[in-house]
Amino acid sequence: MTTSAAPSRLSGRAKLGTERPDWRDGKRYLWIIGAVVPMFLFLGWGLVSLTGLGLFWWVGPIILYVVLPLVDMLIGADRTNPPEEVVAWLEQDRYYRWITYAFLPLQLAAVIVGFWLMTRHGGLAVVDRIGIAATLGMVNGVAINTAHELGHKKEHLERWFAKVALAPTGYGHFFIEHNRGHHVRVATPEDPASSRLGETFWAFLPRTVLGSLTNGWSLERSRLRRLEKRTFSPGNDILNAWAMTVVLWAGLILAFGIGIWPYLLIQAVLGFSLLEAVNYIEHYGLVRQQLENGRWERVTPRHSWNNNNTMTNLFLYHLQRHSDHHANPTRRYQALRHFDESPQLPSGYASMIVLCYFPPLWRKVMDKRVLAHYDGDVTLANIQPSRRAKVLAKYGTPAAPTDLAA
């Protein structure tokens, strides 16, 4: 397994993770960028106040869909890895945890202030309210990634924080389905969060939303039955996560009026749709091969699309190093590694999210990469069943490298 790692000089104690090593994380003080995403709302408010232009209420989508892809292109990629000997020490550095913790109060402040802005002095125009809801949707969509980082950890407090981050979007079941469902079934036809070759994002979205909900509920019900507990009880992690949403939404409606409910729905749908766009990108067309005993081969770096664009990785806590995350789900973001054998996306998640909204462009860019990954043998890919005949008719026999580049 090939990785790119920076050379280092480490003492014996540093190798055991008990002493600060000579090695330094070059991005150490840049990781705070991920925690300031909730400030999008306040940035928009400031720009509207300065310019009088309601366009800036839409600052969240503008940053995520326009500014971030451009900055990714300008800054480029960082393929360096922390040395293997320093990983234990790096994961123990609590500075990185506090960055994820800081996201939560800022997120909740943005939600409260956003709905206050919608209703103050008689309220804003509908288009401006939708703009604020869209910006909150981007903030709370990125918050699901913060919940993802926290929810994989073993500490009870961090797992509880994950549910808090999921509350604004009502996506508390993600906490269960992702950890106990997706990580087990990833890159198989059985996984609702693994997209298939030929499947558009717009077909994937309802499939993954419904599949994640039903699978998450089934997993939690089975867990409670094993413990001889009732499904509808305080011990149900999905129900208590959803309860946080009920309390938050009820509090907002009591504070700002029933008229905010459409905007609560808008931000929630945009938030979890942003998450599912990332899910669509991460495993598109990739599949673990089935063994003779009917089981799937173990997960390897070849089963996740990866990217090293620096800025998006800072925004998303190294989520683009997705292969190492699946190999080591509890590993903290600052220690995730790049693998040379992982299939690489042509650009960062920010750019690829925009691309996936336009299926013909997505297929033009990504289908040939899936084929190249399997040396032209499309039968090794995870193919959308409804398009299988068309895909096999088009790519049914292994193609020469020159054909794949066309």
Side-chain angles (χ1 to χ4, degrees):
M1 185 174 293
T2 306
T3 60
S4 302
S8 65
R9 294 177 302 162
L10 303 174
S11 70
R13 290 183 64 195
K15 290 181 180 181
L16 295 174
T18 59
E19 180 182 279
R20 186 181 184 91
D22 293 337
W23 179 86
R24 295 292 182 271
D25 178 6
K27 299 193 287 281
R28 180 178 178 86
Y29 299 108
L30 295 177
W31 288 113
I32 196 67
I33 289 172
V36 301
V37 170
M39 302 305 291
F40 289 175
L41 186 279
F42 301 97
L43 173 63
W45 183 12
L47 290 173
V48 170
S49 299
L50 283 173
T51 66
L53 297 175
L55 170 68
F56 290 114
W57 292 125
W58 296 79
V59 69
I62 291 170
I63 291 175
L64 285 183
Y65 294 142
V66 180
V67 176
L68 187 52
L70 291 176
V71 174
D72 255 347
M73 290 173 59
L74 290 172
I75 294 180
D78 173 21
R79 294 163 58 93
T80 61
N81 289 334
E84 192 64 34
E85 316 90 275
V86 82
V87 167
W89 172 84
L90 188 59
E91 291 204 275
Q92 291 171 13
D93 189 342
R94 299 191 71 85
Y95 162 80
Y96 296 96
R97 302 186 198 188
W98 282 104
I99 288 176
T100 56
Y101 300 167
F103 190 103
L104 302 177
L106 293 173
Q107 176 196 6
L108 294 177
V111 169
I112 294 169
V113 171
F115 285 103
W116 173 76
L117 287 168
M118 288 184 196
T119 56
R120 67 175 184 148
H121 306 309
L124 299 173
V126 171
V127 68
D128 293 334
R129 292 184 186 186
I130 296 174
I132 292 175
T135 291
L136 291 178
M138 300 300 99
V139 169
N140 292 325
V142 175
I144 299 177
N145 180 59
T146 303
H148 169 259
E149 173 65 23
L150 293 168
H152 271 293
K153 302 306 174 279
K154 297 178 181 179
E155 294 186 15
H156 176 75
L157 181 64
E158 290 181 286
R159 295 166 71 85
W160 189 85
F161 280 167
K163 297 178 186 179
V164 173
L166 293 166
T169 54
Y171 229 53
H173 56 280
F174 171 82
F175 172 79
I176 299 299
E177 204 287 326
H178 179 83
N179 290 6
R180 305 209 308 260
H182 173 64
H183 271 261
V184 173
R185 297 186 296 260
V186 62
T188 71
E190 302 164 359
D191 181 30
S194 294
S195 59
R196 302 156 177 170
L197 179 66
E199 182 179 30
T200 70
F201 169 70
W202 304 110
F204 171 77
L205 182 60
R207 180 174 74 84
T208 188
V209 170
L210 181 60
S212 295
L213 175 60
T214 55
N215 284 345
W217 183 260
S218 177
L219 287 165
E220 185 63 1
R221 182 177 58 190
S222 297
R223 181 185 74 87
L224 292 169
R225 283 179 177 174
R226 288 195 301 271
L227 297 174
E228 298 183 348
K229 293 183 179 181
R230 292 180 293 112
T231 300
F232 291 90
S233 67
N236 186 315
D237 281 332
I238 291 180
L239 289 180
N240 57 51
W242 285 346
M244 292 185 183
T245 297
V246 171
V247 170
L248 175 64
W249 284 30
L252 290 170
I253 289 173
L254 284 172
F256 305 115
I258 192 64
I260 69 169
W261 74 264
Y263 306 103
L264 279 168
L265 292 178
I266 289 171
Q267 64 83 26
V269 171
L270 291 177
F272 69 67
S273 296
L274 182 63
L275 162 78
E276 298 301 356
V278 171
N279 275 337
Y280 179 80
I281 291 164
E282 288 171 338
H283 306 284
Y284 178 73
L286 303 179
V287 69
R288 291 146 60 192
Q289 302 307 309
Q290 201 160 20
L291 306 175
E292 291 183 0
N293 62 7
R295 296 191 176 191
W296 301 99
E297 65 175 320
R298 69 179 183 87
V299 180
T300 74
R302 291 177 53 82
H303 298 128
S304 302
W305 291 100
N306 282 243
N307 184 265
N308 284 300
N309 279 34
T310 303
M311 187 54 66
T312 301
N313 265 333
L314 291 171
F315 263 84
L316 298 179
Y317 306 121
H318 258 161
L319 183 66
Q320 296 178 134
R321 293 189 170 182
H322 208 60
S323 292
D324 197 15
H325 168 66
H326 273 281
N328 301 281
T330 61
R331 175 166 286 175
R332 296 187 181 273
Y333 67 92
Q334 66 270 22
L336 292 174
R337 301 159 297 169
H338 160 76
F339 292 102
D340 289 338
E341 61 264 45
S342 300
Q344 299 297 310
L345 294 168
S347 188
Y349 280 9
S351 302
M352 300 306 292
I353 288 171
V354 176
L355 195 65
C356 83
Y357 295 154
F358 302 94
L361 295 178
W362 173 265
R363 289 198 187 106
K364 184 175 179 62
V365 171
M366 286 303 298
D367 284 11
K368 63 184 179 183
R369 286 176 166 80
V370 175
L371 287 167
H373 180 64
Y374 291 112
D375 297 322
D377 187 352
V378 74
T379 63
L380 298 178
N382 186 7
I383 303 173
Q384 172 72 352
S386 63
R387 294 185 57 85
R388 187 174 186 84
K390 290 183 179 180
V391 169
L392 291 177
K394 186 174 182 180
Y395 304 115
T397 57
T402 53
D403 296 329
L404 297 179

